[in-house]
């Protein structure tokens, strides 16, 4: 069983915190929840925050996961130590969270585990793209020994759900097909590849595309249905040229059955974790000039 059950937040590096906070507030539709001289916290509407922008040249500063109800911070620390991973306990490390356990399983990838986050429930903003959930992120990391994959799979207990060739692996700690993509590209600098927000439903894609068009933000890819995960997705660049995905209809993973719930658009039944051909990312076989595999 995974030690965690959801992606709690992402801390993103920013060279212009005010610019990025404004984009995610006005264009994406998040709710400001706090700020400092070099940071801004934004919420989708329920939790204290889902994103934090901090002044830094690094693209991804930290990722936070909420621990499962049966796992304490003490138990998590002991578990990490048993696997040779050191961790540090921090009190009042960020708004809405009283304590975290932080570790760095590989250089450049900081993981923060927490038990609870305050939920002011300010309400979802009816502006911009208006997503309902921070669903997953992809992290590009050159890792010939597969240490990052091993950390998520063998230490945190994430379920492997799919891959593209040898380069991209998908993992989940809950019902969604993936919470994390690890993009293993030799000699690449570790960085955020993309972050992804869930939309209300399939029809919200057209509304989101129209909203982005009014802000002169072009779609680069989609909407179209992926192969791995079978989510209907579209992609664009934000104010700092980060790649952002909007998605709906993600496959529901059933770990006890080792498969995802059957859907009419699956080309194999049952649909089990598999290795897709590199670049075979479009279930509809739509051709796009923008190549996600080269982003």
């Amino acid at each position: 069983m995974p030690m965690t059950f959801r992606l709690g937040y992402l801390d993103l590096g920013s060279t212009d915190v005010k610019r990025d906070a404004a984009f995610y507030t006005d264009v994406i539709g998040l709710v400001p929840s706090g700020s400092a001289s070099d940071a801004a916290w934004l919420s989708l509407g329920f939790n204290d925050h889902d994103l934090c922008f901090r002044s830094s040249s690094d693209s991804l500063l930290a990722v936070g996961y909420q621990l499962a109800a049966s796992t304490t911070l003490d138990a998590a620390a002991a578990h990490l130590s048993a696997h040779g991973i050191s961790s540090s306990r921090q009190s009042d490390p960020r708004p809405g969270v009283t304590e975290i356990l932080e570790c760095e399983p590989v250089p450049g990838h900081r993981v923060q585990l927490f038990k609870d986050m305050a939920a002011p429930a300010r309400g979802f903003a009816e502006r911009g793209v208006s997503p309902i959930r921070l669903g997953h992120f992809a992290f590009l990391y050159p890792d010939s020994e597969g240490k990052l994959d091993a950390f998520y799979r063998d230490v945190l207990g994430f379920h492997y759900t799919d891959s593209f060739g040898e380069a991209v692996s998908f993992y989940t700690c809950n019902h969604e097909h993936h919470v994390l993509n690890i993009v293993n590209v030799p000699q690449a600098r570790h960085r955020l590849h993309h972050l992804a927000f869930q939309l209300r439903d399939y029809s919200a894609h057209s509304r989101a595309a129209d909203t982005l068009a009014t802000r002169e933000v072009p779609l680069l890819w989609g909407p179209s249905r992926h192969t791995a995960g079978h989510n209907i997705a579209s992609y664009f660049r934000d104010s700092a040229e980060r790649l952002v995905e909007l998605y709906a209809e993600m496959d529901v993973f059933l770990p006890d059955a080792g498969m995802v719930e059957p859907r009419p658009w699956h080309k194999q039944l049952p649909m089990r974790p598999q290795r897709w051909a590199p670049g075979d990312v479009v279930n509809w076989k739509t051709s796009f000039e923008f190549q996600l595999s080269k982003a």
Side-chain angles (χ1 to χ4, degrees), residues 177 230 251-254 258-262 266 270-273:
H177 177 271
H230 293 91
D251 275 345
V252 175
F253 184 63
L254 305 173
M259 56 179 275
V260 297
E261 285 190 347
H266 289 167
M271 181 64 69
R272 300 188 184 279

Side-chain angles (χ1 to χ4, degrees), residues 8 46 52 62 64 79 92 102 109 129 140 151 158 161 177 183 231 233 239 244 254 256 274 287 291:
F46 182 73
C52 176
H79 182 75
D92 297 319
E102 181 177 284
H109 189 68
V129 171
L140 194 152
F151 169 75
F158 279 42
T161 54
H177 177 271
V183 184
N231 44 307
S239 49
V244 180
L254 305 173
D256 291 339
Q274 62 183 282
S287 178
Q291 297 295 315

Side-chain angles (χ1 to χ4, degrees), residues 204-272:
H205 270 288
S206 59
R207 177 179 177 273
D210 286 340
T211 297
L212 292 172
T214 63
R215 309 301 206 279
E216 298 186 351
V217 178
L219 288 182
L220 303 174
W221 191 101
S224 190
R225 190 182 295 281
H226 276 311
T227 49
H230 293 91
N231 44 307
I232 296 178
S234 60
Y235 295 79
F236 62 93
R237 298 281 188 188
D238 71 4
S239 49
E241 295 298 310
R242 302 178 193 87
L243 190 61
V244 180
E245 176 187 357
L246 306 175
Y247 74 92
E249 295 187 3
M250 179 79 77
D251 275 345
V252 175
F253 184 63
L254 305 173
D256 291 339
M259 56 179 275
V260 297
E261 285 190 347
R263 295 291 185 266
W265 45 84
H266 289 167
K267 295 181 179 179
Q268 300 126 30
L269 292 174
M271 181 64 69
R272 300 188 184 279

Side-chain angles (χ1 to χ4, degrees), residues 54-286:
R54 298 182 186 274
S55 182
S56 174
S57 58
D58 291 332
S59 61
L60 180 62
L61 304 178
V63 52
Y65 297 102
Q66 188 165 4
L67 289 170
S70 59
T71 305
T72 65
L73 286 172
D74 287 338
H79 182 75
L80 292 173
S81 179
H83 284 82
I85 299 172
S86 60
S87 61
S88 62
R89 198 88 163 252
Q90 301 174 20
S91 298
D92 297 319
R94 56 195 305 122
V97 179
T98 59
E99 199 168 21
I100 64 167
L101 185 69
E102 181 177 284
C103 66
E104 193 169 354
V106 297
H109 189 68
R110 292 169 58 208
V111 173
Q112 298 177 347
L113 306 176
F114 66 96
K115 281 298 295 182
D116 297 295
M117 176 184 284
R122 299 175 179 88
F124 291 83
E126 293 295 332
R127 64 169 176 268
V129 171
S130 301
I132 61 173
R133 184 165 170 261
L134 175 64
H136 64 268
F137 73 103
F139 189 64
L140 194 152
Y141 195 83
D143 189 6
S144 60
E145 298 179 11
K147 291 183 178 180
L148 190 56
D149 287 76
F151 169 75
Y152 277 101
R153 184 185 62 243
D154 302 333
V155 180
L156 293 189
F158 279 42
H159 301 289
Y160 161 80
T161 54
D162 268 318
S163 57
F164 286 119
E166 300 292 332
V168 183
S169 299
F170 295 78
Y171 295 96
T172 188
C173 63
N174 55 39
H175 66 281
E176 286 217 319
H177 177 271
H178 54 280
V179 169
L180 164 72
N181 304 357
I182 297 176
V183 184
N184 189 345
V185 179
Q187 300 178 341
R189 181 179 181 273
H190 67 266
R191 63 175 174 85
L192 179 75
H193 182 274
H194 71 268
L195 66 156
F197 295 100
Q198 182 182 353
L199 297 176
R200 299 182 185 198
D201 52 32
Y202 168 72
S203 66
H205 270 288
S206 59
R207 177 179 177 273
D210 286 340
T211 297
L212 292 172
T214 63
R215 309 301 206 279
E216 298 186 351
V217 178
L219 288 182
L220 303 174
W221 191 101
S224 190
R225 190 182 295 281
H226 276 311
T227 49
H230 293 91
N231 44 307
I232 296 178
S234 60
Y235 295 79
F236 62 93
R237 298 281 188 188
D238 71 4
S239 49
E241 295 298 310
R242 302 178 193 87
L243 190 61
V244 180
E245 176 187 357
L246 306 175
Y247 74 92
E249 295 187 3
M250 179 79 77
D251 275 345
V252 175
F253 184 63
L254 305 173
D256 291 339
M259 56 179 275
V260 297
E261 285 190 347
R263 295 291 185 266
W265 45 84
H266 289 167
K267 295 181 179 179
Q268 300 126 30
L269 292 174
M271 181 64 69
R272 300 188 184 279
Q274 62 183 282
R275 190 176 299 279
W276 302 84
D280 184 18
V281 300
V282 193
N283 202 55
W284 294 346
K285 304 307 176 188
T286 317

